[in-house]
Amino acid sequence: MSDGEQRETFRIDVGAYARELEKQRNDLLHEATQLRVAVDQLLGEREELRRQLAEVKGEPAAA
């Protein structure tokens, strides 16, 4: 393999690697967004349960 062929193969390999890293990054960002939404939902449910518990106990609802 000539020096020029090696450089071209290296460029292709680096390009493929960069595309794979970008795909992994995007996948992780999407997963992080989904986790944030799930956490927000759980926090909202927790607050609703606290409100219901206070209501059952006859305590004033927290603002």
Side-chain angles (χ1 to χ4, degrees), residues 2-37:
S2 74
D3 189 43
E5 290 172 325
Q6 286 178 333
R7 278 189 295 233
E8 184 63 26
T9 299
F10 179 72
R11 264 187 245 134
I12 292 169
D13 291 346
V14 169
Y17 181 68
R19 284 188 298 279
E20 178 59 26
L21 286 179
E22 184 67 19
K23 180 187 176 306
Q24 288 177 12
R25 177 186 171 274
N26 289 337
D27 290 347
L28 290 171
L29 286 172
H30 179 72
E31 185 176 345
T33 299
Q34 289 178 321
L35 289 171
R36 183 74 236 164
V37 167

Side-chain angles (χ1 to χ4, degrees), residues 10 25-26 30 36 38 41 48 51-53 59:
F10 179 72
R25 177 186 171 274
N26 289 337
H30 179 72
R36 183 74 236 164
Q41 183 179 359
E48 176 61 19
R51 186 195 62 75
Q52 290 175 9
L53 180 60
E59 298 171 359

